[in-house]
Amino acid sequence: MSETTPQTAMAGTTEPTLDTDELLRLESLCVHFPIYKGLLRRHAGDVRAVDDVHLSVKKGEVLGLVGESGCGKTTTGRSIVRILKPTSGKILYQEEHGKVVDLAQLNDRQLFKYRADIRMVFQDPFSSLNPRLTVGDIIGEVLEIQGWRKSDINDRVRYLLEKVGLRPEYVGRFPHAFSGGERQRIGIARSLATNPRLVVADESVSALDVSIQAQTINLLQDLQEEFGLTYLFVAHDLSVVEHISDRVAVMYVGKIVEVADKDSLFGSPKHPYTEALLHSVPKPDPKRRRLGTVPKLKGEVADPANPPRGCYFHPRCPYAQDKCRVERPALRALPGGRQVACHFAEELDLEGIPAVE
Amino acid sequence: MHLPFWSRIRKTRQGKLAGDEPIGVGDNPLLREETTGASEETQWRLIWRRFRRHHLAMGGLVVVLMLYGVAACAEFLAPMNPRAFDSKYPYAPPQRVRMFHESEEGVSFRPHVLDYRVELDSVQMTRVFHDDPDQVVDLGFFVETEPYRLMGFIPMRRQFFGPVNPDHSFFLLGADRLGRDLLSRMIYGTRISMTVGLIGVTLSLVLGITLGGMSGYFGGWIDNLIQRLIEFLQSIPSIPLWLGLSAAIPPRVDPLMVYFYITIILSILGWTGLGRVVRGKFMSLKTEDFVLAARLDGCSSGRIIRRHMVPSFMSHIIATTTLAIPHMIIGETSLSFLGLGLRPPVISWGVLLQEAQNIRTVATAPWLLLPGAMVAVAVLALNFLGDGLRDASDPYA
Ligand SMILES: Nc1ncnc2c1ncn2[C@@H]1O[C@H](COP(=O)(O)OP(=O)(O)O)[C@@H](O)[C@H]1O
Ligand code: SF4
Ligand SMILES: [Mg+2]
């Protein structure tokens, strides 16, 4: 595991470099949405949806990205796949043979090449499939654009359908003939069509029933193992990322507040927000349910257009002190390859949730 | 190691997967959530099914089809030459069709009308029309007439119905100021009035989709500019604007050219509503997940618009277009009625109404207002049809 802090990486050479085990690294990524007010559309500030994010994704891992709704997870995911153009910062991507490119700087034409490498699974299984195209056309669209032959596309689509647990005979059907869970499988098949290296799954199971969620996560995991994929797995609920992730990044109001491998993060969180999230997950296990000493999260996520001074989390943090109200904690490295953005990470004794036997 | 709560479910699924079988809807009870029937109905068939349940709209469709049928086959359907005037019959009232003829030999089936005997009332200075039992005008179906070409290319020598002797006159709906048959003139007027709507709407459609689409797809200053233009055009009261534009048509121009100018004027003003609809659709579709997915698939803007956006609102466009035709028809009628639109010898409903434009007509020859009824029927039918199409094309209705 790399001990490089984002700051040292940035201070380095002009030619961007990534560690050999890194697939993607976000450096000081900012996505700001301007707010216009009044008749003259005067610029009246920015929604800092993603604000100075540093995050690295390693080859072959599943990185969970969690945070409450409105924390900027979707915006982060969408800038990685470059539906959005970041306001500033770098999205460094390491190609198969080691060449590093900054996706943030590329235009649509230059991006074309990487569209096959980095794919996305959407949140809503209903709006993400064109209701007027057949399953075969939906999954095969990207292959058609990439110039595949018709018969090859057909073979590939059938293979993918089988891989995601649907019958190949369904190629000719329209999306409305399928249930939410099946539609999400179609979305997954579409994302895998090009043999991608990175899949950004934005809340890809959040819209599904709990039992279907579990199946879909299992499917994603099987596919990851089979094809050696790397996932950036976005969710607002820690219980969803728990099963599938190797590492977890916690996001709050446009910033990463904690990154750690899954077991350390769940067992001994270092950021009060992580602790609060851990204790707000539904607890189907009775052993976990008995714990109840951590107060529930109060209040709302801060407004990214007008965040509080100091630590963005201080209005809701039970451990907040005077320093937190004036000084903003930077994301810093802790032993064990962890990163945290809290002034008192070392002093606080936060409560994790125990491993289930 | 944390054992997740779904490890249980996972085992059952792995059991299924052991044989490496694909899971289909039928095989796995867990997958049977809200699966709907596997019908492969296309969008259009769905719309048609919903549309058929809308009785008023079906009626509208039948009437509209009939009107365009009349427009296409005016030569075949009109019993008389619409331009042939006869100084004997100014303001002749409608004739009653009699089915049986009484003569010395007895009663026989013989559809006919009685020709008019005209007397001048020298006191009131009007003509008085009396039926003349001695002058029988026999009527028949598929009677011979002067050769013509149906729809411009099918050579024909017969027409649908009319006087058996082509030299006889027949006024089922009365005659106008110059003794021309009103029915025939209305039939020919259908052609011009209904196609003004169609051609005008086609032009509006092109303008509306192009400008509205640009506005919605590109946004920014393009959107701003086009929206202000639409607001400007919509804020001008339409009649004065039509008047102004028609006044700009050169006065000595060929009547047929006037027809084209009028359709252009109507569509320059008529595209705004359509433009708004298209813009709204583009704006909402642009951020739809499936459009984003298409962008991620590497689709070009053109392909996204053609393959992913336009088909999603084509049915909407058709409905909106249908609803725009009546505006065009009313526009033509109003302009011509005011004497600023089409001019004789072109025959349109508006031209016919313009000729019926005085109090005396209303009192003495009320049948000359019948073209107004045609306008009402056409506008209502198109509105019902458009409403039905709109309801049927909206999947959330
Ligand atoms: N296109 C946009 N324009 C303006 N604000 C946006 C836009 N997209 C997202 N936001 C704002 O950015 C913040 C982060 O949103 P998002 O990335 O969707 O969060 P999450 O996925 O974590 O729920 C929210 O406050 C949201 O309102
Ligand atoms: S810096 Fe202060 S307010 Fe922020 S999380 Fe740590 S303790 Fe809480
Ligand atoms: Mg989101």
Side-chain angles (χ1 to χ4, degrees):
Chain A
M1 188 147 297
S2 155
E3 293 287 348
T4 335
T5 61
Q7 283 74 20
T8 56
M10 277 208 356
T13 53
T14 47
E15 186 68 5
T17 52
L18 290 188
D19 297 338
T20 47
D21 66 337
E22 266 182 316
L23 183 62
L24 185 87
R25 189 198 286 166
L26 309 181
E27 283 184 2
S28 306
L29 185 72
C30 293
V31 185
H32 296 176
F33 299 107
I35 307 169
Y36 296 107
K37 282 220 176 101
L39 258 180
L40 298 173
R41 295 179 43 84
R42 194 168 41 83
H43 184 213
D46 293 294
V47 179
R48 298 160 165 257
V50 174
D51 199 20
D52 197 24
V53 158
H54 297 270
L55 189 65
S56 133
V57 184
K58 312 226 177 311
K59 285 177 188 163
E61 78 168 347
V62 179
L63 176 63
L65 181 60
V66 293
E68 288 164 284
S69 210
C71 284
K73 308 180 298 293
T74 296
T75 309
T76 308
R78 291 191 170 186
S79 14
I80 293 173
V81 298
R82 278 303 312 274
I83 302 177
L84 284 174
K85 182 154 175 60
T87 315
S88 63
K90 289 181 181 166
I91 304 170
L92 301 179
Y93 168 70
Q94 179 155 232
E95 288 179 49
E96 200 122 35
H97 47 271
K99 191 182 155 220
V100 175
V101 284
D102 182 4
L103 300 177
Q105 299 305 323
L106 303 187
N107 62 29
D108 264 344
R109 227 190 35 194
Q110 296 164 316
L111 278 168
F112 185 79
K113 182 175 162 200
Y114 303 99
R115 296 261 186 235
D117 280 10
I118 305 179
R119 302 282 289 164
M120 178 153 182
V121 182
F122 287 84
Q123 170 167 5
D124 185 347
F126 289 87
S127 69
S128 59
L129 305 181
N130 187 340
R132 279 165 193 82
L133 296 183
T134 61
V135 169
D137 284 340
I138 291 171
I139 300 175
E141 179 89 338
V142 65
L143 302 176
E144 206 177 317
I145 303 283
Q146 303 270 340
W148 284 42
R149 273 191 295 135
K150 278 261 185 296
S151 59
D152 293 346
I153 295 177
N154 190 37
D155 293 346
R156 175 82 182 154
V157 168
R158 287 171 157 268
Y159 167 80
L160 288 164
L161 279 176
E162 210 164 313
K163 278 293 164 204
V164 298
L166 293 171
R167 291 185 172 169
E169 301 91 85
Y170 291 171
V171 281
R173 293 199 180 173
F174 288 91
H176 69 79
F178 296 89
S179 68
E182 292 168 313
R183 280 166 177 246
Q184 206 57 310
R185 286 163 187 260
I186 296 169
I188 292 168
R190 168 173 61 191
S191 73
L192 298 186
T194 52
N195 266 323
R197 298 180 70 220
L198 174 65
V199 175
V200 176
D202 183 9
E203 309 249 15
S204 295
V205 298
S206 304
L208 307 176
D209 289 350
V210 174
S211 65
I212 310 294
Q213 276 193 2
Q215 286 181 4
T216 311
I217 289 192
N218 288 333
L219 171 70
L220 282 167
Q221 199 163 37
D222 292 344
L223 294 168
Q224 192 233 349
E225 283 160 17
E226 181 167 354
F227 298 111
L229 298 168
T230 305
Y231 287 151
L232 178 66
F233 193 88
V234 176
H236 62 263
D237 181 347
L238 269 169
S239 69
V240 170
V241 297
E242 180 179 9
H243 181 46
I244 194 170
S245 303
D246 300 311
R247 289 192 309 140
V248 178
V250 180
M251 199 166 179
Y252 189 70
V253 195
K255 288 183 183 296
I256 300 291
V257 295
E258 180 164 10
V259 185
D261 66 86
K262 177 185 64 186
D263 291 339
S264 337
L265 190 110
F266 278 75
S268 66
K270 289 291 173 211
H271 195 284
Y273 182 58
T274 313
E275 182 192 42
L277 280 184
L278 282 173
H279 291 272
S280 66
V281 305
K283 304 175 185 77
D285 190 284
K287 273 188 193 149
R288 287 183 175 184
R289 201 174 293 142
R290 256 181 265 119
L291 305 155
T293 50
V294 178
K296 272 204 136 141
L297 260 177
K298 298 184 304 277
E300 297 282 311
V301 178
D303 178 4
N306 188 18
R309 257 163 65 87
C311 174
Y312 286 178
F313 190 54
H314 87 250
R316 305 170 78 190
C317 179
Y319 314 102
Q321 299 181 27
D322 288 344
K323 185 182 183 189
C324 308
R325 284 178 258 278
V326 285
E327 199 180 315
R328 184 169 308 157
L331 186 66
R332 58 202 168 90
L334 290 187
R338 309 183 64 161
Q339 290 177 325
V340 69
C342 170
H343 294 307
F344 305 105
E346 287 88 350
E347 291 97 279
L348 291 173
D349 181 23
L350 302 177
E351 194 176 337
I353 49 178
V356 180
E357 304 312 321
Chain B
M1 184 61 203
H2 298 276
L3 270 181
F5 66 86
W6 38 61
S7 50
R8 202 166 14 95
I9 301 165
R10 183 171 171 74
K11 263 180 218 124
T12 61
R13 199 179 76 86
Q14 275 181 331
K16 279 267 178 213
L17 268 189
D20 223 34
E21 279 171 348
I23 305 167
V25 192
D27 311 332
N28 192 332
L30 285 172
L31 276 181
R32 275 214 208 104
E33 339 159 44
E34 67 274 30
T35 309
T36 56
S39 66
E40 286 179 23
E41 249 182 335
T42 64
Q43 170 77 6
W44 295 106
R45 233 187 281 152
L46 223 89
I47 291 178
W48 173 237
R49 261 223 326 240
R50 271 197 299 253
F51 180 79
R52 267 204 332 225
R53 274 184 304 210
H54 204 309
H55 296 300
L56 220 48
M58 277 303 280
L61 176 67
V62 170
V63 172
V64 168
L65 287 180
M66 274 167 47
L67 285 171
Y68 280 112
V70 168
C73 308
E75 291 89 349
F76 179 64
L77 294 171
M80 302 274 291
N81 180 341
R83 296 195 173 83
F85 49 85
D86 192 330
S87 54
K88 192 182 161 195
Y89 301 107
Y91 297 118
Q95 286 172 318
R96 190 158 68 84
V97 176
R98 297 154 206 258
M99 289 299 168
F100 297 97
H101 184 69
E102 280 177 57
S103 60
E104 289 87 70
E105 296 103 70
V107 182
S108 59
F109 178 73
R110 182 180 167 195
H112 67 282
V113 292
L114 298 179
D115 199 358
Y116 283 126
R117 185 163 44 79
V118 187
E119 284 172 12
L120 277 175
D121 183 332
S122 47
V123 182
Q124 292 196 354
M125 292 304 289
T126 54
R127 287 159 198 272
V128 186
F129 292 90
H130 299 287
D131 287 342
D132 185 349
D134 297 335
Q135 298 216 41
V136 173
V137 176
D138 284 308
L139 300 177
F141 284 106
F142 304 109
V143 293
E144 265 188 62
T145 176
E146 280 172 20
Y148 63 94
R149 282 172 189 276
L150 185 62
M151 295 193 260
F153 63 94
I154 309 171
M156 298 272 284
R157 300 192 53 89
R158 290 176 183 274
Q159 64 184 28
F160 184 52
F161 79 110
V164 174
N165 181 343
D167 297 332
H168 284 168
S169 300
F170 164 51
F171 307 103
L172 189 61
L173 297 180
D176 70 358
R177 183 172 50 90
L178 298 176
R180 295 172 296 199
D181 177 36
L182 183 66
L183 174 63
S184 304
R185 290 178 68 73
M186 273 167 59
I187 288 174
Y188 275 86
T190 306
R191 171 172 289 174
I192 297 291
S193 291
M194 292 299 282
T195 52
V196 160
L198 216 55
I199 296 176
V201 141
T202 311
L203 274 175
S204 300
L205 197 67
V206 172
L207 281 171
I209 291 187
T210 317
L211 291 171
M214 275 166 60
S215 193
Y217 192 79
F218 295 110
W221 66 269
I222 298 182
D223 182 33
N224 237 320
L225 190 78
I226 293 174
Q227 288 316 301
R228 298 300 86 77
L229 178 67
I230 289 181
E231 274 155 22
F232 173 71
L233 287 175
Q234 286 187 340
S235 68
I236 307 172
S238 50
I239 296 275
L241 188 60
W242 283 339
L243 294 183
L245 287 171
S246 339
I249 299 176
R252 296 239 159 266
V253 79
D254 179 58
L256 200 69
M257 283 311 291
V258 176
Y259 169 80
F260 285 111
Y261 281 124
I262 294 289
T263 50
I264 289 170
I265 290 173
L266 291 175
S267 49
I268 283 176
L269 302 177
W271 68 272
T272 54
L274 204 64
R276 280 259 154 104
V277 173
V278 173
R279 168 180 181 260
K281 282 278 156 196
F282 265 86
M283 300 247 284
S284 64
L285 280 170
K286 194 168 63 168
T287 53
E288 251 332 284
D289 280 353
F290 72 80
V291 172
L292 295 182
R295 268 179 65 196
L296 289 183
D297 284 345
C299 293
S300 61
S301 290
R303 188 178 167 104
I304 288 177
I305 292 174
R306 264 180 291 111
R307 188 168 156 93
H308 296 275
M309 295 174 85
V310 171
S312 310
F313 61 81
M314 210 52 226
S315 50
H316 241 83
I317 296 286
I318 290 174
T320 314
T321 310
T322 313
L323 287 171
I325 298 178
H327 287 284
M328 300 274 164
I329 292 177
I330 297 257
E332 181 276 318
T333 310
S334 316
L335 279 180
S336 304
F337 181 77
L338 294 171
L340 288 151
L342 302 176
R343 291 188 285 260
V346 171
I347 305 170
S348 78
W349 294 338
V351 170
L352 295 181
L353 283 172
Q354 200 246 334
E355 291 173 353
Q357 209 184 45
N358 58 63
I359 275 296
R360 223 194 106 202
T361 313
V362 181
T364 61
W367 53 88
L368 290 181
L369 296 175
L370 278 171
M374 288 298 280
V375 174
V377 168
V379 167
L380 277 178
L382 281 162
N383 273 319
F384 289 150
L385 172 64
D387 276 341
L389 284 175
R390 194 185 48 203
D391 292 350
S393 67
D394 191 350
Y396 305 108

